[in-house]
mmCIF file of all heavy atoms in Angstrom:
data_model
loop_
_atom_site.group_PDB
_atom_site.id
_atom_site.type_symbol
_atom_site.label_atom_id
_atom_site.label_comp_id
_atom_site.label_asym_id
_atom_site.label_seq_id
_atom_site.Cartn_x
_atom_site.Cartn_y
_atom_site.Cartn_z
ATOM 1 N N THR A 653 101.617 91.134 100.413
ATOM 2 C CA THR A 653 101.678 89.813 99.776
ATOM 3 C C THR A 653 103.025 89.098 99.921
ATOM 4 O O THR A 653 104.057 89.719 100.204
ATOM 5 C CB THR A 653 101.283 89.905 98.287
ATOM 6 O OG1 THR A 653 100.957 88.586 97.825
ATOM 7 C CG2 THR A 653 102.403 90.467 97.423
ATOM 8 N N THR A 654 102.982 87.785 99.688
ATOM 9 C CA THR A 654 104.144 86.905 99.803
ATOM 10 C C THR A 654 105.360 87.457 99.053
ATOM 11 O O THR A 654 106.467 87.527 99.607
ATOM 12 C CB THR A 654 103.797 85.523 99.220
ATOM 13 O OG1 THR A 654 102.460 85.171 99.604
ATOM 14 C CG2 THR A 654 104.743 84.447 99.687
ATOM 15 N N THR A 655 105.139 87.836 97.797
ATOM 16 C CA THR A 655 106.255 88.300 96.976
ATOM 17 C C THR A 655 106.853 89.602 97.510
ATOM 18 O O THR A 655 108.062 89.756 97.561
ATOM 19 C CB THR A 655 105.780 88.435 95.508
ATOM 20 O OG1 THR A 655 105.597 87.110 95.008
ATOM 21 C CG2 THR A 655 106.772 89.177 94.640
ATOM 22 N N ASN A 677 101.255 89.797 105.258
ATOM 23 C CA ASN A 677 100.946 88.507 104.621
ATOM 24 C C ASN A 677 100.981 87.350 105.594
ATOM 25 O O ASN A 677 100.157 86.444 105.530
ATOM 26 C CB ASN A 677 101.959 88.259 103.484
ATOM 27 C CG ASN A 677 101.656 86.965 102.741
ATOM 28 O OD1 ASN A 677 100.628 86.861 102.066
ATOM 29 N ND2 ASN A 677 102.509 85.975 102.887
ATOM 30 N N LYS A 682 95.620 86.449 107.314
ATOM 31 C CA LYS A 682 95.818 86.912 105.927
ATOM 32 C C LYS A 682 96.142 85.712 105.043
ATOM 33 O O LYS A 682 95.306 85.219 104.292
ATOM 34 C CB LYS A 682 96.891 88.015 105.876
ATOM 35 C CG LYS A 682 96.834 88.843 104.581
ATOM 36 C CD LYS A 682 97.403 88.101 103.405
ATOM 37 C CE LYS A 682 97.325 88.851 102.119
ATOM 38 N NZ LYS A 682 97.920 88.105 101.003
ATOM 39 N N ASP A 686 93.074 84.770 102.783
ATOM 40 C CA ASP A 686 93.085 85.472 101.493
ATOM 41 C C ASP A 686 93.770 84.609 100.421
ATOM 42 O O ASP A 686 93.171 84.293 99.382
ATOM 43 C CB ASP A 686 93.810 86.810 101.731
ATOM 44 C CG ASP A 686 94.223 87.596 100.511
ATOM 45 O OD1 ASP A 686 94.651 86.992 99.523
ATOM 46 O OD2 ASP A 686 94.166 88.836 100.584
ATOM 47 N N ASN A 687 95.017 84.186 100.679
ATOM 48 C CA ASN A 687 95.765 83.454 99.667
ATOM 49 C C ASN A 687 95.049 82.117 99.343
ATOM 50 O O ASN A 687 94.997 81.705 98.176
ATOM 51 C CB ASN A 687 97.184 83.152 100.151
ATOM 52 C CG ASN A 687 97.951 84.408 100.525
ATOM 53 O OD1 ASN A 687 97.354 85.434 100.858
ATOM 54 N ND2 ASN A 687 99.263 84.368 100.516
ATOM 55 N N CYS A 691 91.813 82.865 96.716
ATOM 56 C CA CYS A 691 92.158 82.340 95.382
ATOM 57 C C CYS A 691 91.220 81.204 94.981
ATOM 58 O O CYS A 691 90.915 81.021 93.802
ATOM 59 C CB CYS A 691 93.618 81.898 95.331
ATOM 60 S SG CYS A 691 94.746 83.308 95.388
ATOM 61 N N LEU A 715 100.736 74.973 89.247
ATOM 62 C CA LEU A 715 102.169 74.939 89.518
ATOM 63 C C LEU A 715 102.451 75.717 90.774
ATOM 64 O O LEU A 715 102.215 76.938 90.817
ATOM 65 C CB LEU A 715 102.931 75.486 88.314
ATOM 66 C CG LEU A 715 102.685 74.649 87.039
ATOM 67 C CD1 LEU A 715 101.809 75.427 86.062
ATOM 68 C CD2 LEU A 715 103.988 74.247 86.379
ATOM 69 N N GLY A 716 102.889 75.050 91.825
ATOM 70 C CA GLY A 716 103.084 75.667 93.132
ATOM 71 C C GLY A 716 101.914 75.270 94.029
ATOM 72 O O GLY A 716 100.752 75.523 93.675
ATOM 73 N N TYR A 717 102.212 74.616 95.156
ATOM 74 C CA TYR A 717 101.151 74.181 96.067
ATOM 75 C C TYR A 717 101.405 74.770 97.443
ATOM 76 O O TYR A 717 101.447 74.101 98.461
ATOM 77 C CB TYR A 717 101.101 72.637 96.114
ATOM 78 C CG TYR A 717 99.858 72.048 96.703
ATOM 79 C CD1 TYR A 717 98.621 72.166 96.069
ATOM 80 C CD2 TYR A 717 99.900 71.351 97.922
ATOM 81 C CE1 TYR A 717 97.480 71.621 96.620
ATOM 82 C CE2 TYR A 717 98.765 70.792 98.469
ATOM 83 C CZ TYR A 717 97.549 70.918 97.822
ATOM 84 O OH TYR A 717 96.399 70.358 98.365
ATOM 85 N N GLY A 718 101.640 76.111 97.448
ATOM 86 C CA GLY A 718 101.697 76.853 98.718
ATOM 87 C C GLY A 718 100.273 77.258 99.067
ATOM 88 O O GLY A 718 99.311 76.584 98.735
ATOM 89 N N ASP A 719 100.139 78.398 99.753
ATOM 90 C CA ASP A 719 98.798 78.829 100.171
ATOM 91 C C ASP A 719 97.897 79.102 98.968
ATOM 92 O O ASP A 719 96.756 78.642 98.895
ATOM 93 C CB ASP A 719 98.897 80.088 101.051
ATOM 94 C CG ASP A 719 99.518 79.761 102.405
ATOM 95 O OD1 ASP A 719 99.207 78.696 102.968
ATOM 96 O OD2 ASP A 719 100.329 80.579 102.901
ATOM 97 N N VAL A 720 98.429 79.843 97.995
ATOM 98 C CA VAL A 720 97.630 80.166 96.795
ATOM 99 C C VAL A 720 97.353 78.898 96.010
ATOM 100 O O VAL A 720 96.206 78.625 95.605
ATOM 101 C CB VAL A 720 98.374 81.209 95.932
ATOM 102 C CG1 VAL A 720 97.687 81.370 94.579
ATOM 103 C CG2 VAL A 720 98.429 82.552 96.657
ATOM 104 N N GLY A 721 98.377 78.088 95.777
ATOM 105 C CA GLY A 721 98.214 76.865 94.994
ATOM 106 C C GLY A 721 97.205 75.922 95.627
ATOM 107 O O GLY A 721 96.433 75.268 94.911
ATOM 108 N N SER A 738 102.315 70.731 90.564
ATOM 109 C CA SER A 738 103.767 70.498 90.535
ATOM 110 C C SER A 738 104.390 71.297 91.689
ATOM 111 O O SER A 738 103.881 72.368 92.048
ATOM 112 C CB SER A 738 104.370 70.884 89.209
ATOM 113 O OG SER A 738 104.378 72.281 89.078
ATOM 114 N N GLU A 739 105.398 70.763 92.271
ATOM 115 C CA GLU A 739 106.066 71.380 93.429
ATOM 116 C C GLU A 739 107.529 71.090 93.468
ATOM 117 O O GLU A 739 108.000 70.102 92.882
ATOM 118 C CB GLU A 739 105.441 70.861 94.752
ATOM 119 C CG GLU A 739 104.595 71.870 95.521
ATOM 120 C CD GLU A 739 105.314 73.116 95.977
ATOM 121 O OE1 GLU A 739 106.541 73.144 96.035
ATOM 122 O OE2 GLU A 739 104.633 74.124 96.300
ATOM 123 N N VAL A 740 108.297 71.946 94.113
ATOM 124 C CA VAL A 740 109.721 71.662 94.377
ATOM 125 C C VAL A 740 109.906 71.254 95.837
ATOM 126 O O VAL A 740 110.914 70.621 96.183
ATOM 127 C CB VAL A 740 110.610 72.886 94.082
ATOM 128 C CG1 VAL A 740 110.615 73.205 92.590
ATOM 129 C CG2 VAL A 740 110.150 74.142 94.875
ATOM 130 N N ASP A 741 108.945 71.610 96.684
ATOM 131 C CA ASP A 741 109.073 71.376 98.124
ATOM 132 C C ASP A 741 108.420 70.047 98.474
ATOM 133 O O ASP A 741 107.213 69.871 98.254
ATOM 134 C CB ASP A 741 108.386 72.561 98.840
ATOM 135 C CG ASP A 741 108.430 72.429 100.358
ATOM 136 O OD1 ASP A 741 108.572 71.311 100.882
ATOM 137 O OD2 ASP A 741 108.261 73.469 101.036
ATOM 138 N N CYS A 744 105.143 70.266 100.655
ATOM 139 C CA CYS A 744 103.918 70.667 99.929
ATOM 140 C C CYS A 744 103.482 69.548 98.983
ATOM 141 O O CYS A 744 102.283 69.284 98.822
ATOM 142 C CB CYS A 744 104.170 71.949 99.169
ATOM 143 S SG CYS A 744 104.568 73.343 100.234
ATOM 144 N N ALA A 771 101.347 79.501 90.301
ATOM 145 C CA ALA A 771 101.063 80.086 91.645
ATOM 146 C C ALA A 771 102.274 79.944 92.514
ATOM 147 O O ALA A 771 102.181 79.604 93.692
ATOM 148 C CB ALA A 771 99.868 79.340 92.263
ATOM 149 N N THR A 772 103.464 80.210 91.950
ATOM 150 C CA THR A 772 104.707 79.929 92.684
ATOM 151 C C THR A 772 105.331 81.158 93.318
ATOM 152 O O THR A 772 106.127 81.034 94.259
ATOM 153 C CB THR A 772 105.780 79.295 91.756
ATOM 154 O OG1 THR A 772 106.193 80.295 90.819
ATOM 155 C CG2 THR A 772 105.262 78.077 91.029
ATOM 156 N N GLY A 773 105.080 82.358 92.770
ATOM 157 C CA GLY A 773 105.845 83.536 93.186
ATOM 158 C C GLY A 773 107.278 83.460 92.707
ATOM 159 O O GLY A 773 108.117 84.252 93.074
ATOM 160 N N ASN A 774 107.552 82.483 91.838
ATOM 161 C CA ASN A 774 108.899 82.305 91.305
ATOM 162 C C ASN A 774 108.865 82.721 89.808
ATOM 163 O O ASN A 774 107.821 83.083 89.294
ATOM 164 C CB ASN A 774 109.295 80.828 91.434
ATOM 165 C CG ASN A 774 110.790 80.646 91.430
ATOM 166 O OD1 ASN A 774 111.532 81.522 91.022
ATOM 167 N ND2 ASN A 774 111.244 79.482 91.878
ATOM 168 N N ILE A 777 108.412 79.781 85.049
ATOM 169 C CA ILE A 777 107.732 78.518 85.366
ATOM 170 C C ILE A 777 107.196 77.845 84.113
ATOM 171 O O ILE A 777 107.369 76.635 83.932
ATOM 172 C CB ILE A 777 106.576 78.781 86.387
ATOM 173 C CG1 ILE A 777 107.133 79.433 87.640
ATOM 174 C CG2 ILE A 777 105.839 77.497 86.718
ATOM 175 C CD1 ILE A 777 108.239 78.650 88.358
ATOM 176 N N ILE A 795 98.475 83.309 88.682
ATOM 177 C CA ILE A 795 97.772 83.968 89.810
ATOM 178 C C ILE A 795 98.806 84.467 90.845
ATOM 179 O O ILE A 795 98.443 85.059 91.857
ATOM 180 C CB ILE A 795 96.691 83.037 90.395
ATOM 181 C CG1 ILE A 795 95.704 83.789 91.286
ATOM 182 C CG2 ILE A 795 97.321 81.844 91.121
ATOM 183 C CD1 ILE A 795 94.432 83.044 91.600
ATOM 184 N N GLY A 796 100.106 84.248 90.570
ATOM 185 C CA GLY A 796 101.165 84.788 91.430
ATOM 186 C C GLY A 796 101.310 86.289 91.170
ATOM 187 O O GLY A 796 100.738 86.817 90.214
ATOM 188 N N HIS A 797 102.097 86.954 91.997
ATOM 189 C CA HIS A 797 102.037 88.432 91.980
ATOM 190 C C HIS A 797 102.563 89.077 90.710
ATOM 191 O O HIS A 797 101.951 90.001 90.178
ATOM 192 C CB HIS A 797 102.748 89.017 93.191
ATOM 193 C CG HIS A 797 102.479 90.482 93.334
ATOM 194 N ND1 HIS A 797 101.328 90.969 93.900
ATOM 195 C CD2 HIS A 797 103.170 91.568 92.919
ATOM 196 C CE1 HIS A 797 101.331 92.274 93.841
ATOM 197 N NE2 HIS A 797 102.429 92.675 93.271
ATOM 198 N N PHE A 798 103.705 88.619 90.221
ATOM 199 C CA PHE A 798 104.308 89.318 89.068
ATOM 200 C C PHE A 798 104.100 88.554 87.762
ATOM 201 O O PHE A 798 103.648 87.416 87.774
ATOM 202 C CB PHE A 798 105.784 89.602 89.334
ATOM 203 C CG PHE A 798 105.987 90.759 90.268
ATOM 204 C CD1 PHE A 798 106.717 90.641 91.436
ATOM 205 C CD2 PHE A 798 105.432 92.008 89.957
ATOM 206 C CE1 PHE A 798 106.889 91.745 92.288
ATOM 207 C CE2 PHE A 798 105.597 93.104 90.810
ATOM 208 C CZ PHE A 798 106.330 92.952 91.982
ATOM 209 N N GLU A 801 106.173 84.591 85.742
ATOM 210 C CA GLU A 801 106.021 83.125 85.886
ATOM 211 C C GLU A 801 105.810 82.488 84.510
ATOM 212 O O GLU A 801 106.264 81.382 84.237
ATOM 213 C CB GLU A 801 104.857 82.777 86.830
ATOM 214 C CG GLU A 801 105.043 83.379 88.225
ATOM 215 C CD GLU A 801 104.390 82.600 89.351
ATOM 216 O OE1 GLU A 801 104.179 81.393 89.233
ATOM 217 O OE2 GLU A 801 104.095 83.235 90.395
ATOM 218 N N LEU A 841 98.471 88.669 87.199
ATOM 219 C CA LEU A 841 97.518 87.893 88.015
ATOM 220 C C LEU A 841 96.098 87.981 87.466
ATOM 221 O O LEU A 841 95.483 89.031 87.370
ATOM 222 C CB LEU A 841 97.572 88.218 89.503
ATOM 223 C CG LEU A 841 98.047 89.541 90.072
ATOM 224 C CD1 LEU A 841 96.916 90.519 89.967
ATOM 225 C CD2 LEU A 841 98.464 89.360 91.503
ATOM 226 N N ASN A 843 93.228 86.685 88.414
ATOM 227 C CA ASN A 843 91.991 86.831 89.198
ATOM 228 C C ASN A 843 91.651 88.319 89.343
ATOM 229 O O ASN A 843 90.486 88.673 89.525
ATOM 230 C CB ASN A 843 92.126 86.143 90.575
ATOM 231 C CG ASN A 843 93.267 86.667 91.392
ATOM 232 O OD1 ASN A 843 94.250 87.179 90.866
ATOM 233 N ND2 ASN A 843 93.140 86.553 92.699
ATOM 234 N N LEU A 844 92.656 89.182 89.246
ATOM 235 C CA LEU A 844 92.375 90.627 89.285
ATOM 236 C C LEU A 844 92.294 91.211 87.885
ATOM 237 O O LEU A 844 91.622 92.212 87.666
ATOM 238 C CB LEU A 844 93.409 91.342 90.138
ATOM 239 C CG LEU A 844 93.092 91.143 91.624
ATOM 240 C CD1 LEU A 844 94.316 90.815 92.438
ATOM 241 C CD2 LEU A 844 92.369 92.342 92.186
ATOM 242 N N HIS A 850 89.572 88.970 95.075
ATOM 243 C CA HIS A 850 88.881 88.217 96.126
ATOM 244 C C HIS A 850 87.619 88.941 96.588
ATOM 245 O O HIS A 850 87.563 90.161 96.571
ATOM 246 C CB HIS A 850 89.775 88.034 97.338
ATOM 247 C CG HIS A 850 91.064 87.358 97.056
ATOM 248 N ND1 HIS A 850 91.298 86.577 95.935
ATOM 249 C CD2 HIS A 850 92.206 87.292 97.770
ATOM 250 C CE1 HIS A 850 92.543 86.108 95.990
ATOM 251 N NE2 HIS A 850 93.124 86.527 97.074
HETATM 252 N N1 LIG B 293 96.456 86.615 92.971
HETATM 253 C C1 LIG B 293 96.230 86.821 94.219
HETATM 254 O O1 LIG B 293 95.142 87.246 94.595
HETATM 255 C C2 LIG B 293 97.277 86.483 95.230
HETATM 256 C C3 LIG B 293 96.937 86.387 96.586
HETATM 257 C C4 LIG B 293 97.943 86.074 97.485
HETATM 258 C C5 LIG B 293 99.231 85.845 97.051
HETATM 259 N N2 LIG B 293 99.534 85.964 95.724
HETATM 260 C C6 LIG B 293 100.864 85.718 95.160
HETATM 261 O O2 LIG B 293 100.899 84.352 94.782
HETATM 262 C C7 LIG B 293 102.228 83.858 94.838
HETATM 263 C C8 LIG B 293 102.265 82.599 95.716
HETATM 264 O O3 LIG B 293 101.936 82.964 97.052
HETATM 265 P P1 LIG B 293 101.844 81.888 98.216
HETATM 266 O O4 LIG B 293 101.424 82.658 99.408
HETATM 267 O O5 LIG B 293 101.088 80.703 97.774
HETATM 268 O O6 LIG B 293 103.388 81.504 98.350
HETATM 269 P P2 LIG B 293 103.970 80.135 98.955
HETATM 270 O O7 LIG B 293 105.391 80.373 99.197
HETATM 271 O O8 LIG B 293 103.070 79.674 100.075
HETATM 272 O O9 LIG B 293 103.770 79.092 97.754
HETATM 273 C C9 LIG B 293 104.536 79.068 96.597
HETATM 274 C C10 LIG B 293 104.896 77.613 96.317
HETATM 275 O O10 LIG B 293 105.508 77.509 95.046
HETATM 276 C C11 LIG B 293 106.498 76.504 95.125
HETATM 277 N N3 LIG B 293 107.463 76.674 94.029
HETATM 278 C C12 LIG B 293 108.494 77.536 93.939
HETATM 279 N N4 LIG B 293 109.136 77.377 92.766
HETATM 280 C C13 LIG B 293 108.476 76.395 92.109
HETATM 281 C C14 LIG B 293 108.660 75.784 90.852
HETATM 282 N N5 LIG B 293 109.658 76.101 90.034
HETATM 283 N N6 LIG B 293 107.794 74.793 90.490
HETATM 284 C C15 LIG B 293 106.791 74.416 91.329
HETATM 285 N N7 LIG B 293 106.587 74.957 92.520
HETATM 286 C C16 LIG B 293 107.402 75.946 92.916
HETATM 287 C C17 LIG B 293 107.110 76.698 96.519
HETATM 288 O O11 LIG B 293 107.760 75.529 96.978
HETATM 289 C C18 LIG B 293 105.857 77.030 97.350
HETATM 290 O O12 LIG B 293 105.312 75.894 97.979
HETATM 291 C C19 LIG B 293 103.052 85.009 95.372
HETATM 292 O O13 LIG B 293 103.582 85.721 94.264
HETATM 293 C C20 LIG B 293 102.047 85.874 96.088
HETATM 294 O O14 LIG B 293 102.494 87.191 96.218
HETATM 295 C C21 LIG B 293 98.578 86.263 94.800
#
Side-chain angles (χ1 to χ4, degrees):
T653 198
T654 320
T655 289
N677 183 67
K682 198 283 178 179
D686 167 322
N687 304 24
C691 289
L715 299 108
Y717 195 68
D719 290 321
V720 170
S738 71
E739 250 300 341
V740 293
D741 179 337
C744 298
T772 68
N774 203 343
I777 303 302
I795 196 165
H797 191 81
F798 283 124
E801 301 209 25
L841 26 80
N843 59 334
L844 282 135
H850 302 341

